[in-house]
């Protein structure tokens, strides 16, 4: 069971309050883009074995969308940030790097 | 290969069963192979077997990071059916179901195929209409299914509560030749037969890198050293993206956890497989007497082989409503597998942007039933460069927008 913090209303709750929405930061292909670009946008996914930046909705709470950084192997949640952020904020990237360094040194 | 038979059993009994040979060889990795298959799940092993059997290609290795059949092939609930909606699906799933019928004889290994019948319940008007459509599509595609009414449902499965308060049973889609098989035995049977034809199965050997030069595959780097190959088949289910990353191409796949559970063993109470898509649960009874239960997949990317508790709760709740008799049963074991989901819930059997690399993946929650047909088609694609059954399932369909939409037929994970 994941514990997820909502950056919109400040609640931290069990995953049953939330709904997953897949990979974050996917850029929409332009209207006149090639078929390859559309395939990339619509179907190809990073699906990493490791840290994943992903969209979630606080479905049974404030109802808002946001982004989350989470590890798909350890299930560690590194933090949440606004849905419209173009990239994960520095604090979250640092937490991820620190964890990677820690693991590297074991 | 030492053949298994009643006669062999009797003869070995005289030797106190000390004369049996290993079911498959445990060879060292050679320096090069014509074809390397990554992943010794059912699909990888069947691919290797049919490469050798149907196409005479025996210089083949199957490389497995764990033990063979330890992935989803050994974790599934073993439902076999072919009542899908689209023609392309009917072709591959029915080929597969047909191959299952006499697979025990062909492999000389008892895979315990049990065509006990699969019943998909209709519990809303909408579902009833959708299933009628599927029944018509099945008839056109030559797949034997029929719609049955609630009285017949009750007759097929007397322990079912057909007039439950929330979701009364309005009918069902019945596939009499669907059923189950022993999942480990399918992996073991293919492994033994492939090994006998000369295929090297190398376990505890992880593929850690793929060497590509000028857009063509050269070989793989493994935890037991580098191996060269002319062709590489990536058949690793939930790890498909990890391998594609090594070779430098992208896939329309997401990996999520799917769980199953079994109850304590009880006397026989049901002799068919029942799937309830609306309430999201399905159940059958194993030969040991355990009720084998499965439900929905988690919604988020996951590589941990364990899922979220609420899915178990939801599944069991739905089934208790449909089968009140099970409400006091204890559950014995619960486990998860990482399944490879595509957007249209259909698999991928395809060449890739790298020359010489083939992928077989995207079976998601329902690829056990497809093992024989998928291996058959993948082997032919690798050997001949094309295959009629595999063709619609190429990666091209995502560029062309030519989806093979099975999100209704595959509504519940199975
Ligand atoms: C709980 C559950 C219930 C299911 N129920 C059903 C059902 O009732 N009916 C049905 O038809 N299907 C069902 N399925 C789906 C079915 O199990 C799968 O689609 C099918 O088994 C996939 O087989 P596979 O050979 O592709 O993958 P797997 O059996 O997972 O084999 C892939 C292998 O690749 C290996 N591998 C991965 N990475 C590497 C690497 N780097 N190097 C070497 N080896 C590697 C893995 O160790 C693994 O052994 C279910 C799945 C689950 C999890
Ligand atoms: Zn909120």
């Amino acid at each position: 069971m994941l514990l997820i913090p909502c950056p919109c209303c400040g609640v931290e709750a069990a995953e049953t309050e939330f709904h997953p929405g897949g990979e974050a930061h996917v850029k929409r292909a332009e209207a006149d883009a090639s078929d390859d670009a559309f395939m990339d946008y619509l179907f190809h996914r990073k699906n990493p074995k490791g840290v994943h930046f992903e969209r979630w909705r606080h479905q049974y709470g404030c109802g808002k969308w946001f982004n989350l950084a989470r590890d798909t192997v350890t299930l560690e949640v590194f933090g949440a940030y606004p849905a419209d952020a173009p990239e994960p904020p520095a604090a979250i990237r640092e937490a991820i790097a620190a964890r990677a360094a820690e693991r590297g040194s074991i | 290969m030492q053949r298994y038979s009643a006669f062999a059993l009797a003869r070995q009994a005289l030797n106190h069963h000390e004369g049996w040979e290993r079911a498959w060889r445990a060879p060292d990795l050679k320096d090069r192979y014509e074809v390397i298959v990554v992943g010794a799940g059912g699909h990888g092993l069947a691919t290797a077997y049919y490469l050798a059997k149907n196409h005479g290609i025996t210089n083949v290795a199957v490389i497995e990071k764990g033990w063979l059949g330890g992935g989803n092939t050994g974790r599934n609930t073993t439902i076999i059916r072919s009542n899908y909606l689209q023609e392309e699906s009917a072709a591959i799933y029915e080929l597969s179901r047909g191959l299952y019928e006499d697979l025990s004889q062909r492999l000389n290994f008892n895979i315990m195929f049990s065509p006990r019948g699969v019943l998909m319940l209709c519990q809303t008007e909408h579902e009833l209409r959708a299933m009628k459509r599927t029944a018509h599509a099945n008839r056109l595609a030559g797949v034997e299914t029929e719609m049955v009414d609630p009285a017949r449902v009750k007759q097929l499965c007397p322990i079912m509560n057909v007039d439950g308060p929330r979701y009364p049973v309005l009918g069902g889609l019945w596939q009499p030749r669907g059923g189950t098989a022993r999942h480990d035995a399918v992996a073991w049977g293919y492994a033994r037969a492939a090994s006998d034809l000369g295929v090297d199965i190398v376990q505890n050997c992880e593929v850690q890198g793929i060497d590509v030069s000028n857009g063509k595959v050269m070989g793989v780097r493994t935890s037991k050293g580098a191996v060269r190959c002319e062709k590489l088949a990536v058949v690793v289910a939930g790890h498909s993206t990890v391998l594609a990353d090594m070779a430098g191409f992208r896939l329309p796949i997401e990996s999520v956890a799917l769980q199953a559970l079994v109850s304590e063993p009880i006397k026989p109470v049901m002799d068919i497989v029942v799937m309830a898509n609306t309430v999201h649960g399905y159940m059958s009874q194993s030969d040991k007497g355990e009720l084998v239960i499965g439900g929905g997949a988690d919604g988020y990317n996951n590589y941990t082989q364990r899922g979220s508790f609420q899915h178990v709760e939801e599944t069991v709740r739905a089934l208790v409503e449909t089968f009140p008799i099970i409400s006091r049963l204890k559950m014995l074991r619960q486990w998860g597998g990482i399944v490879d989901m595509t957007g249209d819930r259909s698999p991928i059997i395809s060449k890739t942007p790298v020359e010489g690399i083939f992928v077989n993946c995207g079976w998601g929650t329902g690829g056990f039933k497809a093992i024989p047909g998928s291996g058959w088609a993948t082997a032919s694609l690798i050997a001949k460069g094309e295959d009629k059954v595999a063709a619609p399932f190429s990666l091209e369909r995502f560029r062309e927008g030519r989806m093979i939409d099975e999100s209704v037929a595959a509504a519940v994970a199975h």
Side-chain angles (χ1 to χ4, degrees):
Chain A
M1 178 76 66
L2 304 173
L3 275 183
I4 295 176
C6 175
C8 308
C9 66
V11 162
E12 185 184 50
E15 70 182 77
T16 45
E17 254 188 50
F18 299 86
H19 190 81
E23 184 178 321
H25 308 300
V26 176
K27 301 265 181 322
R28 184 202 287 234
E30 297 296 329
D32 58 353
S34 65
D35 287 353
D36 279 315
F38 265 99
M39 174 166 61
D40 239 24
Y41 160 58
L42 289 171
F43 301 112
H44 285 163
R45 290 297 174 260
K46 291 202 176 99
N47 190 30
K49 188 175 181 177
V51 179
H52 191 224
F53 300 107
E54 56 196 17
R55 287 150 44 84
W56 283 81
R57 182 170 173 250
H58 195 182
Q59 184 159 356
Y60 302 106
C62 68
K64 299 220 168 72
W65 283 96
F66 60 92
N67 290 344
L68 191 77
R70 186 182 58 88
D71 193 306
T72 61
V73 179
T74 62
L75 300 188
E76 178 172 3
V77 170
F78 288 100
Y81 55 98
D84 59 356
E87 60 175 32
I92 287 181
R93 278 182 285 141
E94 277 157 24
I96 293 167
R99 178 66 80 237
E102 204 178 287
R103 247 187 254 138
S105 69
I106 289 171
Chain B
M1 183 172 77
Q2 209 173 30
R3 285 189 65 79
Y4 296 154
S5 65
F7 181 65
L9 198 63
R11 201 177 42 209
Q12 292 297 337
L14 297 175
N15 298 332
H16 305 283
H17 293 290
E18 283 172 8
W20 293 109
E21 59 185 38
R22 297 183 72 112
W24 48 81
R25 296 170 293 115
D28 289 329
L29 211 49
K30 290 192 284 195
D31 295 339
R32 72 177 305 134
Y33 289 92
E34 186 173 341
V35 181
I36 291 178
V37 178
V38 191
H43 289 264
L45 291 165
T47 298
Y49 170 73
Y50 290 117
L51 273 173
K53 182 80 185 168
N54 294 355
H55 305 281
I57 300 175
T58 56
N59 186 13
V60 176
V62 183
I63 300 182
E64 166 59 47
K65 72 171 174 176
W67 64 95
L68 69 86
N72 294 341
T73 299
R75 293 163 186 271
N76 72 84
T77 47
T78 77
I79 298 174
I80 296 169
R81 59 183 182 89
S82 58
N83 54 355
Y84 284 73
L85 181 62
Q86 311 293 349
E87 260 172 46
E88 298 88 341
S89 317
I92 193 162
Y93 290 109
E94 179 61 11
L95 167 67
S96 204
R97 200 203 53 75
L99 286 168
Y100 263 124
E101 294 257 2
D102 64 350
L103 197 59
S104 292
Q105 287 74 18
R106 285 186 191 276
L107 297 180
N108 181 233
F109 199 99
N110 187 3
I111 61 146
M112 298 166 72
F113 177 56
S114 161
R116 59 184 68 183
V118 173
L119 179 67
M120 289 177 121
L121 300 182
C122 306
Q123 292 177 290
T124 63
E125 288 294 340
H126 181 84
E127 198 175 20
L128 188 64
R129 244 185 346 256
M131 288 295 175
K132 279 184 185 161
R133 180 179 172 211
T134 302
H136 291 315
N138 288 165
R139 198 168 305 121
L140 286 173
V143 175
E144 188 195 340
T145 62
E146 59 173 307
M147 288 301 293
V148 292
D149 63 14
R152 174 94 172 109
V153 168
K154 185 76 185 170
Q155 197 182 29
L156 285 166
C157 187
I159 64 166
M160 199 187 308
N161 177 16
V162 291
D163 36 39
R166 264 203 314 168
Y167 293 111
V169 173
L170 307 175
L173 179 66
W174 172 236
Q175 181 168 26
R177 294 303 288 176
T180 60
R182 171 88 199 271
H183 49 7
D184 301 314
V186 172
W188 297 336
Y190 274 118
R192 175 166 168 271
S195 174
D196 184 53
L197 292 172
V199 172
D200 283 357
I201 302 167
V202 183
Q203 305 183 65
N204 292 311
C205 180
E206 184 179 14
V207 171
Q208 295 166 334
I210 298 176
D211 292 323
V212 176
S213 166
N214 293 326
K216 192 179 172 330
V217 68
M218 295 281 120
V220 295
R221 276 164 284 137
T222 77
S223 51
K224 294 188 175 175
V227 203
R228 296 174 70 79
C229 64
E230 279 154 49
K231 292 173 184 169
L232 179 70
V234 174
V235 195
V236 294
H239 278 74
S240 299
T241 309
V242 177
L243 272 285
D245 285 347
M246 291 178 194
F249 60 88
R250 303 194 72 190
L251 284 177
I253 293 277
E254 295 201 82
S255 302
V256 302
L258 176 66
Q259 301 176 83
L261 55 158
V262 293
S263 74
E264 57 188 327
I266 53 171
K267 291 257 164 58
V269 292
M270 65 187 295
D271 58 1
I272 63 169
V273 180
V274 175
M275 311 182 64
N277 295 351
T278 293
V279 296
H280 246 88
Y282 57 89
M283 193 163 91
S284 65
Q285 189 167 21
S286 76
D287 295 346
K288 279 187 285 182
E290 300 161 333
L291 295 177
V292 181
I293 293 174
D298 282 347
Y300 56 83
N301 302 53
N302 190 346
Y303 281 86
T304 64
Q305 290 193 328
R306 58 174 199 267
S308 293
F309 175 69
Q310 75 268 18
H311 285 285
V312 176
E313 215 175 11
E314 280 162 14
T315 302
V316 170
R317 192 189 306 140
L319 289 175
V320 166
E321 188 177 317
T322 314
F323 304 94
I325 184 181
I326 69 167
S327 67
R328 291 174 154 220
L329 276 188
K330 294 186 183 69
M331 293 298 145
L332 275 195
R333 295 187 302 280
Q334 161 276 343
W335 64 91
I338 298 303
V339 295
D340 39 339
M341 307 296 281
T342 58
D344 60 0
R345 300 294 182 265
S346 283
I348 297 167
I349 302 178
S350 181
K351 296 178 182 176
T352 67
V354 179
E355 198 187 327
I357 301 188
F358 300 81
V359 285
N360 173 320
C361 62
W363 293 101
T365 61
F368 175 71
K369 63 178 72 66
I371 285 172
S374 153
W376 185 285
T378 309
S380 132
L381 176 67
I382 293 170
K384 299 188 302 201
E386 57 175 23
D387 178 77
K388 220 170 67 230
V389 174
F393 297 100
S394 79
L395 281 167
E396 287 297 304
R397 80 175 187 267
F398 296 96
R399 174 180 300 120
E400 294 165 3
R402 184 176 39 78
M403 302 296 108
I404 303 173
D405 187 358
E406 290 295 357
S407 46
V408 171
V412 72
H414 42 254

